[in-house]
Amino acid sequence: MGKSQKKRAMRRHNPVRVPDSHLPKGLASASTTSSKAEAILPLMQKMENPDASERKWACVAVSNLIQNDPSTRRLLQGKNVVGALITRLTDSEEEVVVEAAGALRNLCIDGGYDICAEMYNKNILAPLKTFVPKISSTLSQYLENPKAATEGTQKLVYEFADNVITTLWCLSETSNKALNAINEINLVPFLMSFLASRERLPLAPVTSAAQCLYVLTDDNYPATSEVRTNADYLACLLSIARSNLISNGKTKEVDDPRIVTLRVLAAGILRNISPIPPPSIASSVDIDRDIILPLLQPIITSISLAEDSKIAQDLAMQHETLPQLDQLSIKNTPKHDHKPPSEVELERLEAKLRTIQLSLEILTGVCATLPDPEPVPENAGEDDDIDEDNGGDEDAAADGHDVQMGVEPVAKTNETNGALPIFVPPLLALIQPTSLSFPPLASPSIHPPTTSALSAIHISALECLNNIFLSLGTSQNPAIAGDKESGQKIWNDVWTALSLVGTEAGPGQERRQEMWEIAMGVLWGVGIIWRGSLVPNSDQIKLLAQACDSTADVILQVKCIGTLESLAQYPDLIEANESISNYLLSKLPLGNSPANIGTEPLIQVVSALVDIFSDENMPYDINFRRGGYLERLAGSVEGIKKAVKGIDRKKEGGRELRRRGEEVRDNLVAFIKYRQQLKL
């Protein structure tokens, strides 16, 4: 059977903390959905005011106005707030610069990729580059002489550093072009200086530095190479990842989520730069086994999303409304450190949820054991005009099985031989939506950041399960396959989650669709492992068929077909087999008419039908004989041959698909001959 050969790219930073895709496009619609539309123009005018206190007030007001308010954010974007704030980064007054940096940082986090791209295109890196050496120099002075400045002044510098680093972190995820430009700044020594001095610095800029470094070392050779070859950097990261509590000279609350986040980020950075070459002492450390898994397991098992969702809803109801713009004056400039208790707790809860999300993203990498296909020799299959009746046999013989996927990293998540990975139960718990996870379009979330974090957790947990089960599906472990009760429970748990997600479509419901798409891979993997033991459900069969028919994504189609194949092999429900078989047969070409499905899904359909009816002694084989399936398959051979011959080897993945198509084509021809000889 065909398998997805590319491991899914990990999302390192949530693209949109306060999503706005549910809003109609255009500034006019944003004006009607924002309660602060009339305040926008006066605010933008104050941004250019000769009075520095007015400019500072305007920068701070931007941060407050966009909070959980995508409509107002859109209006501000339409008035070029990004360009205005970037201009303020070169303001003559330092406090204006600091507040402008804070507003830009909040826009990055709340608005995601689009705003970051706009910032990059408007050359935000020019002023940001000048801040890095200045912050570094000031930081060194404070560390050498803590009394060099007042506590208030130091706090201002640390907040400014946090804002600059967070903006660089977000920008680095915007595009390869932005990443390459940031690589030229050579940020690694700057960021590592925060981690090295973590005991004497506030947690906020230290954690931001770790987050930025985590992003920069993700498949980015310049940063990866620099960290990997520096013994001091490696020792620092190992120390953080292995520590139980980060102390910075003052008593810190043990349950501060940023402490846990810092450890997780350090572990993630170490994984990004692995393998670490000798003679470093870190080269002898098995990062996954000795660092990642012992750290992440208690993190993902220690949370109840249902409880946290309830807490978030209660806090959001209590949340005090921030002052409206017309109630503010220059003397009453809003401050970020004067937040109501409910807001502080909501931010604390969101940080905790983001740490869970981050942990799952790293765990997804540990479980991502689907390697790329082995390279096909350059001279293999160059002749596209070979005899299709004979050609490809040599390839099929050389590749008479699916590309195998290694399972060693998954095996490391096991504590007992023959048992399911220990992460499976907590992951199944984390895919179950809460009342706040996927609010309906008609009732927007009471607290969008929490909703965004919850849905990201569900998706990341599904990605972990996807990699685990597709990997276990190739290991053919009899002990796991024999545990039919566990297989059925896992199957039911995934469907329970999907029933809670629902099928509402449209703008603002993209996360629902993503859940379904990833879940199809999980169900396929579960179906592979427990093939023939999962009890088919007519509603589930219909949903799988509908998902296949309603998407243009060929990979999703393949997953649906593969899952249906597994259900069709349950021996005791002949009606379910008939329903699935007829659906699969409807996808075949007939005579000179081509198939009504793409070539890759078609190959999966043919493979599925051959596998389902490979044993004529199965109870459901009566459907094959009674339904005339043999004649229907025989009538599709020429169309299948044409489809396989039409695969372009020069396209990405074309060679592998062509080889697989030729194999399946040959298997079909052999299968038809075999069934004809049986004369049943």
Side-chain angles (χ1 to χ4, degrees):
M1 65 192 63
K3 296 182 177 66
S4 176
Q5 298 298 332
K6 299 277 187 184
K7 64 184 179 183
R8 187 179 181 88
M10 290 187 292
R11 293 182 304 279
R12 299 160 296 190
H13 167 58
N14 186 51
V16 184
R17 176 175 176 264
V18 187
D20 63 0
S21 59
H22 62 286
L23 297 174
K25 293 185 178 180
L27 292 179
S29 63
S31 297
T32 60
T33 53
S34 171
S35 61
K36 305 159 188 170
E38 295 180 359
I40 301 301
L41 185 58
L43 184 150
M44 295 302 299
Q45 291 172 342
K46 287 179 182 292
M47 198 85 70
E48 306 291 336
N49 196 289
D51 187 339
S53 59
E54 291 270 16
R55 300 197 300 273
K56 174 186 173 183
W57 178 91
C59 293
V60 177
V62 168
S63 292
N64 285 327
L65 287 178
I66 67 168
Q67 187 168 18
N68 301 343
D69 190 345
S71 297
T72 302
R73 187 180 73 224
R74 279 191 181 183
L75 285 176
L76 284 164
Q77 279 184 268
K79 297 298 183 180
N80 192 30
V81 70
V82 170
L85 288 169
I86 291 175
T87 300
R88 296 279 68 80
L89 290 179
T90 55
D91 198 281
S92 57
E93 293 292 329
E94 288 187 357
E95 288 193 356
V96 176
V97 174
V98 171
E99 296 300 348
L104 286 164
R105 174 237 190 220
N106 290 345
L107 280 169
C108 278
I109 290 178
D110 267 25
Y113 294 151
D114 289 343
I115 282 187
C116 290
E118 182 184 351
M119 290 182 186
Y120 174 76
N121 291 334
K122 291 181 176 177
N123 202 25
I124 190 176
L125 285 181
L128 290 185
K129 282 191 292 189
T130 67
F131 297 148
V132 171
K134 293 177 181 178
I135 293 172
S136 185
S137 175
T138 305
L139 182 68
S140 297
Q141 293 177 18
Y142 291 170
L143 292 174
E144 290 175 8
N145 182 14
K147 296 182 180 180
T150 65
E151 185 174 339
T153 301
Q154 292 190 37
K155 184 173 182 291
L156 194 67
V157 171
Y158 295 142
E159 287 180 356
F160 180 61
D162 185 14
N163 293 334
V164 170
I165 293 169
T166 301
T167 304
L168 289 168
W169 147 37
C170 295
L171 288 170
S172 66
E173 295 182 308
T174 304
S175 64
N176 286 332
K177 188 182 295 185
L179 178 61
N180 291 334
I182 289 172
N183 280 336
E184 294 178 3
I185 303 176
N186 190 27
L187 281 179
V188 171
F190 173 69
L191 299 173
M192 282 303 308
S193 68
F194 283 86
L195 300 186
S197 304
R198 62 192 179 279
E199 295 184 355
R200 294 183 287 167
L201 295 174
L203 263 177
V206 175
T207 307
S208 295
Q211 185 71 258
C212 189
L213 191 61
Y214 172 62
V215 170
L216 289 177
T217 54
D218 187 357
D219 196 23
N220 178 34
Y221 179 77
T224 300
S225 176
E226 188 169 0
V227 177
R228 180 187 289 147
T229 55
N230 189 302
D232 291 338
Y233 294 171
L234 294 172
C236 176
L237 292 167
L238 278 171
S239 176
I240 295 173
R242 286 172 163 168
S243 64
N244 291 321
L245 179 66
I246 308 297
S247 169
N248 71 351
K250 297 181 180 179
T251 303
K252 287 197 173 291
E253 294 183 54
V254 176
D255 63 346
D256 190 326
R258 292 175 300 181
I259 295 174
V260 180
T261 303
L262 184 57
R263 293 185 64 203
V264 173
L265 287 167
I269 294 166
L270 287 168
R271 190 168 201 282
N272 285 346
I273 65 173
S274 296
I276 299 169
S280 169
I281 190 173
S283 63
S284 61
V285 177
D286 187 323
I287 300 299
D288 283 351
R289 186 189 64 197
D290 300 335
I291 302 291
I292 301 288
L293 297 179
L295 175 61
L296 299 190
Q297 184 185 356
I299 292 175
I300 69 169
T301 57
S302 64
I303 188 171
S304 168
L305 295 185
E307 290 180 10
D308 286 339
S309 175
K310 179 64 167 58
I311 292 171
Q313 288 175 304
D314 291 344
L315 288 170
M317 293 293 290
Q318 301 168 12
H319 183 46
E320 299 172 19
T321 304
L322 288 170
Q324 294 298 309
L325 189 65
D326 56 5
Q327 297 174 329
L328 300 175
S329 65
I330 296 175
K331 294 181 180 179
N332 187 29
T333 302
K335 295 291 185 181
H336 300 301
D337 53 353
H338 291 151
K339 299 175 181 177
S342 57
E343 183 183 346
V344 172
E345 287 304 311
L346 279 168
E347 290 182 354
R348 189 184 192 86
L349 178 59
E350 184 190 354
K352 174 185 173 183
L353 295 174
R354 293 296 181 192
T355 301
I356 301 295
Q357 178 196 353
L358 173 66
S359 300
L360 291 169
E361 289 173 352
I362 295 172
L363 184 60
T364 300
V366 176
C367 299
T369 56
L370 308 184
D372 291 336
E374 292 183 8
V376 179
E378 286 297 320
N379 59 351
E382 288 295 337
D383 185 5
D384 282 352
D385 299 319
I386 58 176
D387 182 357
E388 288 296 324
D389 288 331
N390 299 312
D393 287 350
E394 185 175 339
D395 274 353
D399 189 46
H401 56 81
D402 294 317
V403 176
Q404 294 299 302
M405 299 176 288
V407 296
E408 184 181 351
V410 172
K412 289 176 183 176
T413 68
N414 255 339
E415 288 188 341
T416 57
N417 292 329
L420 282 169
I422 57 177
F423 281 105
V424 170
L427 289 173
L428 288 170
L430 291 175
I431 69 171
Q432 302 301 324
T434 74
S435 58
L436 201 56
S437 300
F438 299 99
L441 181 59
S443 304
S445 172
I446 192 172
H447 192 247
T450 300
T451 289
S452 177
L454 286 169
S455 60
I457 287 172
H458 302 319
I459 288 169
S460 295
L462 270 177
E463 288 177 329
C464 288
L465 290 170
N466 177 71
N467 286 342
I468 287 173
F469 289 125
L470 286 181
S471 297
L472 289 177
T474 66
S475 65
Q476 299 179 344
N477 188 319
I480 293 178
D483 186 1
K484 296 180 180 181
E485 185 177 343
S486 290
Q488 190 67 54
K489 182 184 182 306
I490 292 166
W491 177 267
N492 292 340
D493 284 353
V494 176
W495 279 107
T496 297
L498 290 176
S499 68
L500 293 171
V501 171
T503 57
E504 185 174 358
Q509 304 302 315
E510 295 83 3
R511 288 297 179 91
R512 292 183 194 269
Q513 181 64 29
E514 194 170 358
M515 280 285 286
W516 277 91
E517 291 173 359
I518 301 169
M520 290 301 106
V522 178
L523 292 171
W524 186 21
V526 173
I528 293 169
I529 299 168
W530 288 283
R531 181 184 286 112
S533 66
L534 299 172
V535 181
N537 174 291
S538 59
D539 290 337
Q540 294 170 0
I541 291 172
K542 289 178 183 177
L543 282 168
L544 287 166
Q546 289 171 3
C548 184
D549 292 339
S550 63
T551 181
D553 184 339
V554 296
I555 299 302
L556 181 57
Q557 290 176 334
V558 168
K559 292 176 182 179
C560 294
I561 293 164
T563 307
L564 287 168
E565 172 192 344
S566 299
L567 290 177
Q569 296 181 60
Y570 185 75
D572 299 330
L573 284 180
I574 295 173
E575 296 82 0
N577 173 277
E578 183 179 24
S579 173
I580 294 170
S581 300
N582 284 328
Y583 172 76
L584 296 177
L585 286 164
S586 72
K587 301 299 178 184
L588 296 176
L590 187 61
N592 293 324
S593 302
N596 60 358
I597 198 170
T599 301
E600 188 170 356
L602 173 62
I603 292 170
Q604 187 66 36
V605 164
V606 176
S607 175
L609 287 166
V610 171
D611 285 349
I612 292 168
F613 296 104
S614 60
D615 185 353
E616 67 276 9
N617 295 314
M618 295 299 291
Y620 53 69
D621 196 69
I622 189 174
N623 292 326
F624 189 89
R625 301 191 295 271
R626 190 169 55 192
Y629 292 178
L630 180 59
E631 291 74 17
R632 294 169 74 176
L633 284 170
S636 70
V637 170
E638 290 304 316
I640 291 167
K641 286 182 177 180
K642 288 181 182 179
V644 171
K645 189 174 183 179
I647 297 172
D648 187 352
R649 289 190 180 98
K650 295 179 182 179
K651 290 185 177 180
E652 183 179 1
R655 288 183 181 276
E656 185 60 32
L657 182 60
R658 178 70 175 264
R659 293 175 67 190
R660 172 162 167 73
E662 290 168 350
E663 177 192 350
V664 170
R665 174 204 64 199
D666 294 341
N667 287 344
L668 175 63
V669 172
F671 173 74
I672 291 172
K673 289 179 180 178
Y674 172 73
R675 293 295 309 215
Q676 287 172 338
Q677 291 170 358
L678 289 176
K679 298 181 180 180
L680 294 175

